[in-house]
Amino acid sequence: MSKEINTIGVLTSGGDAPGMNAAIRAVVRQAIYCGKRVMGIKRGYAGLLQEEIEEMQARHVSDIIQRGGTILQTARCLEFKEEEYQIKAADICRKFGIDGIIVIGGDGSFRGAQRLSEQGINTIGLPGTIDLDIDCTEYTIGFDTAVNTAMEAIDKVRDTSTSHERCSIIEVMGRDAGYIALWCGIGNGAEDILLPEKYDYDEQKLVNHIIQNRKTGKKHHIIINAEGIGHSTSMAKRIEAATGVETRATILGHMQRGGSPTAKDRVYASIMGAMAVDLLCAGKSNRVVGYRNGEFLDFDIDEALGMTKQISEYMYEVCLHLGI
Ligand code: ADP
Ligand code: F6P
């Protein structure tokens, strides 16, 4: 028999992402609509262990749908990887009467959610990460805003790069995942993209490409470099020395994680937040909400974590073909 849920906890964990607030708002209001109590847990698993837990009413989430970041704050909590602290967290949930938790975060946060469900607390994960690196879903909360932020910034760098006839290396976020770089590669019309999943560290190939493009009249050369490869500044020096083309590096950094969410991030995060509540109310646990083929669906967390998202070969090839 499935457990009846009376009180739902919600937390954000790992790197923040624009749209997390829209998801929190949806969780709070859908839960209240369904006659449940909602408890906001501050600072992810760290705040759970510190009992930073407060009841939330509909008005607590007023005026946040348009705001980046997360009103619940977020944290990385290494001790939560240890069973001792997972047991403690489940006890704290029981102490506060929390029988279901919605975890908004990336794959690391989902591993924490998995552990909590093993400790008897029903859990639902919402994919909140600008990295788009969760395989079961074609959409993650924050990616759309982040990639648009990066794209607009790269357009600006491109203007000055063209005026000065320079090569520009622009570093975007993504320690292990190259989706922001891939999308900007196509969306910004970059000449080269360096993705953690693909880059072979053959700098001579980049040098040859720059020289070749110069001969055919290109006025700039945009290289989008993912954070996971990094070293953009030293790469710029080497490329300038090898090509004779003035080269500058720009690291976009955390600006990509902030800012007002796009319509897509607000709407999808809202639907996913409401769906997470509905799943808990239906007695489900250890599930992740995702979006695939035009539909919002839920997946087993173990299954979701067992898959590794691949870079689309076709998108990658197209990006390179269009950068000639
Ligand atoms: P993200 O959720 O964005 O991928 P992290 O990988 O930093 O971010 O994970 C966020 C938090 O999730 C960690 O700080 C930790 O509290 C928790 N977490 C990560 N991996 C595990 C694990 N294997 N077991 C339990 N909790 C984990
Ligand atoms: O997971 C989101 C992300 O922004 C990654 O793209 C990046 O590698 C990482 O977080 C950076 O984290 P931090 O906030 O610790 O710099």
Side-chain angles (χ1 to χ4, degrees):
M1 209 182 70
S2 65
K3 183 166 84 175
E4 198 198 336
I5 300 291
N6 294 308
T7 302
I8 293 174
V10 56
L11 61 83
T12 48
S13 166
D16 65 347
M20 279 184 166
N21 280 328
I24 295 167
R25 172 179 174 272
V27 166
V28 171
R29 294 198 174 167
Q30 181 78 356
I32 291 170
Y33 173 80
C34 296
K36 311 294 177 193
R37 285 178 81 214
V38 202
M39 307 297 269
I41 301 160
K42 293 262 179 159
R43 297 182 182 80
Y45 298 117
L48 176 57
L49 290 169
Q50 296 298 319
E51 304 190 11
E52 294 186 66
I53 303 170
E54 270 175 36
E55 185 164 356
M56 295 182 87
Q57 309 293 348
R59 292 288 81 80
H60 286 127
V61 290
S62 295
D63 202 29
I64 66 166
I65 194 166
Q66 78 283 14
R67 281 164 54 192
T70 159
I71 60 158
L72 289 176
Q73 319 296 141
T74 186
R76 295 194 169 101
C77 170
L78 292 183
E79 60 188 13
F80 198 70
K81 294 186 180 178
E82 294 165 36
E83 196 180 12
E84 176 193 347
Y85 291 98
Q86 296 156 10
I87 293 169
K88 184 177 171 196
D91 287 341
I92 292 169
C93 286
R94 283 184 273 271
K95 176 175 157 189
F96 282 80
I98 296 171
D99 13 50
I101 283 206
I102 295 170
V103 172
I104 310 170
D107 54 356
S109 303
F110 290 172
R111 284 182 214 287
Q114 226 177 2
R115 301 286 90 81
L116 266 181
S117 83
E118 284 163 10
Q119 297 299 333
I121 306 299
N122 284 12
T123 55
I124 303 291
L126 290 185
T129 167
I130 64 163
D131 291 342
L132 194 68
D133 59 346
I134 297 172
D135 190 54
C136 69
T137 182
E138 292 158 13
Y139 166 83
T140 60
I141 296 167
F143 174 75
D144 190 58
T145 306
V147 83
N148 275 289
T149 300
M151 186 188 73
E152 284 170 21
I154 294 165
D155 280 346
K156 293 186 170 88
V157 177
R158 182 189 174 122
D159 287 343
T160 171
S161 195
T162 309
S163 306
H164 287 262
E165 299 179 67
R166 280 176 176 159
C167 169
S168 290
I169 302 176
I170 303 158
E171 192 170 308
V172 297
M173 271 194 147
R175 197 179 292 142
D176 306 306
Y179 301 97
I180 294 179
L182 175 64
W183 276 60
C184 288
I186 298 174
N188 290 102
E191 278 67 37
D192 280 297
I193 49 168
L194 314 182
L195 315 182
E197 297 89 342
K198 290 280 178 195
Y199 186 45
D200 57 6
Y201 292 86
D202 184 354
E203 241 169 62
Q204 189 57 45
K205 218 158 44 185
L206 296 175
V207 166
N208 296 345
H209 195 198
I210 294 164
I211 293 169
Q212 176 61 24
N213 274 351
R214 276 290 130 133
K215 285 188 190 149
T216 59
K218 279 245 176 178
K219 292 201 166 27
H220 61 247
H221 194 102
I222 304 292
I223 301 174
I224 300 189
N225 184 27
E227 177 193 357
I229 292 157
H231 304 288
S232 297
T233 306
S234 52
M235 198 188 289
K237 287 193 182 121
R238 289 193 299 272
I239 284 181
E240 178 166 311
T243 59
V245 174
E246 255 194 322
T247 304
R248 297 284 189 272
T250 305
I251 299 167
L252 298 184
H254 290 89
M255 67 175 293
Q256 296 159 93
R257 281 232 301 259
S260 180
T262 58
K264 183 171 181 172
D265 277 328
R266 297 181 195 195
V267 173
Y268 281 31
S270 298
I271 294 170
M272 286 179 153
M275 197 168 152
V277 170
D278 291 346
L279 288 167
L280 281 178
C281 292
K284 301 263 179 78
S285 182
N286 208 41
R287 311 287 296 174
V288 178
V289 178
Y291 179 85
R292 258 195 191 175
N293 302 323
E295 267 188 286
F296 293 94
L297 304 163
D298 58 291
F299 302 86
D300 186 79
I301 292 192
D302 309 340
E303 224 178 276
L305 288 174
M307 307 184 259
T308 307
K309 198 174 185 111
Q310 306 295 332
I311 286 288
S312 155
E313 285 298 326
Y314 190 63
M315 281 178 79
Y316 183 65
E317 293 295 326
V318 165
C319 186
L320 299 184
H321 296 168
L322 303 187
I324 56 172

